Amino acid sequence: MEIVSIEKLRTEISEYGNPDTKIGRMRRDGYLYRIRRGLYIRDKNVLKEAVSGLVCGPSYVSFEDALSRHGLIPERVTECSCATFGKQRNTVYKNDLGYYSFTNIPLKAFPYGVELYKYGRFSWNMATPEKAVCDLLYTRKPLKNTQDLLGFLFEGMRIEEEDFRELDAEKMRFFAGLYDYRNLKLLGEALS
């Protein structure tokens, strides 16, 4: 699994009259896959998450994608959802591997609760289950009380109450304190 820049590709196929046309044909015929403008991969058999940081960075996999990968929600997620910070707006990108969404979270919360994962020659960052819950709650409309919050987690997101209780409450309280948002304050109360 090699990441290739547009410059390297143009050098490799310089004998063609129009290298960019050849690159387009290579993409169409399944020999090359675009990650983002000017950056390609030759093998499509790679986890979308493994190249998420190349699509937009700094970022880490979180929200429903991380919750699914950690086995907390039953649904299989098709979009790679990532947390980032300092961007003008939340963004969705589509490349040859699929869809990627990047959602801003506070800079204060960004560096905590993230672990490094590896897949072949690739590595990427993903939120711990506790951090993914906090990131998810940050993106939802403010809830009224702890009962609504727990209803959202257990019924809306279909997180098993038993699995939620197995999460590290101390870590989750710490992460929740890094966001200045009602849902995270309610989470802190629910965990007390």
Side-chain angles (χ1 to χ4, degrees):
M1 288 176 282
E2 176 187 11
I3 297 170
V4 188
S5 69
I6 188 79
E7 294 80 16
K8 183 175 180 182
L9 282 169
R10 286 177 178 150
T11 301
E12 287 177 6
I13 58 176
S14 61
E15 71 274 5
Y16 288 90
N18 188 340
D20 289 343
T21 301
K22 175 66 175 170
I23 290 169
R25 271 192 238 120
M26 291 170 73
R27 284 182 65 200
R28 185 191 66 214
D29 296 341
Y31 296 109
L32 198 62
Y33 304 94
R34 183 174 160 212
I35 297 173
R36 65 174 167 81
R37 176 178 277 156
L39 205 57
Y40 299 85
I41 190 168
R42 294 182 197 271
D43 182 4
K44 192 174 184 176
N45 295 321
V46 64
L47 293 173
K48 282 195 285 188
E49 291 79 2
V51 296
S52 60
L54 297 171
V55 175
C56 179
S59 64
Y60 61 86
V61 176
S62 190
F63 310 108
E64 291 92 340
D65 196 350
L67 292 172
S68 176
R69 293 214 169 267
H70 290 302
L72 285 176
I73 61 174
E75 288 78 22
R76 188 178 137 261
V77 178
T78 57
E79 179 180 281
C80 182
S81 50
C82 302
T84 188
F85 71 92
K87 306 294 186 225
Q88 292 283 347
R89 57 190 170 86
N90 298 336
T91 310
V92 175
Y93 294 98
K94 182 183 183 325
N95 65 21
D96 293 342
L97 301 177
Y99 286 92
Y100 293 79
S101 66
F102 295 87
T103 304
N104 280 301
I105 66 163
L107 173 59
K108 185 177 176 183
F110 185 80
Y112 296 98
V114 178
E115 297 174 336
L116 183 68
Y117 286 78
K118 292 188 181 260
Y119 178 82
R121 292 177 34 198
F122 292 96
S123 61
W124 72 96
N125 293 311
M126 185 162 67
T128 62
E130 295 86 358
K131 179 71 177 295
V133 168
C134 292
D135 285 345
L136 180 69
L137 288 172
Y138 179 74
T139 65
R140 296 308 193 252
K141 290 196 288 192
L143 298 163
K144 293 179 184 169
N145 52 44
T146 56
Q147 184 178 352
D148 286 350
L149 176 110
L150 295 174
F152 167 73
L153 292 174
F154 302 148
E155 294 163 26
M157 292 305 299
R158 297 180 18 172
I159 296 174
E160 293 291 329
E161 191 170 346
E162 179 182 308
D163 293 338
F164 181 77
R165 300 290 175 213
E166 289 178 9
L167 296 177
D168 188 324
E170 189 175 320
K171 279 185 186 177
M172 226 174 341
R173 271 194 297 276
F174 171 75
F175 298 146
L178 299 171
Y179 303 79
D180 186 22
Y181 192 63
R182 177 171 178 76
N183 291 346
L184 283 301
K185 289 177 181 150
L186 290 172
L187 178 64
E189 291 172 18
L191 295 169
S192 298

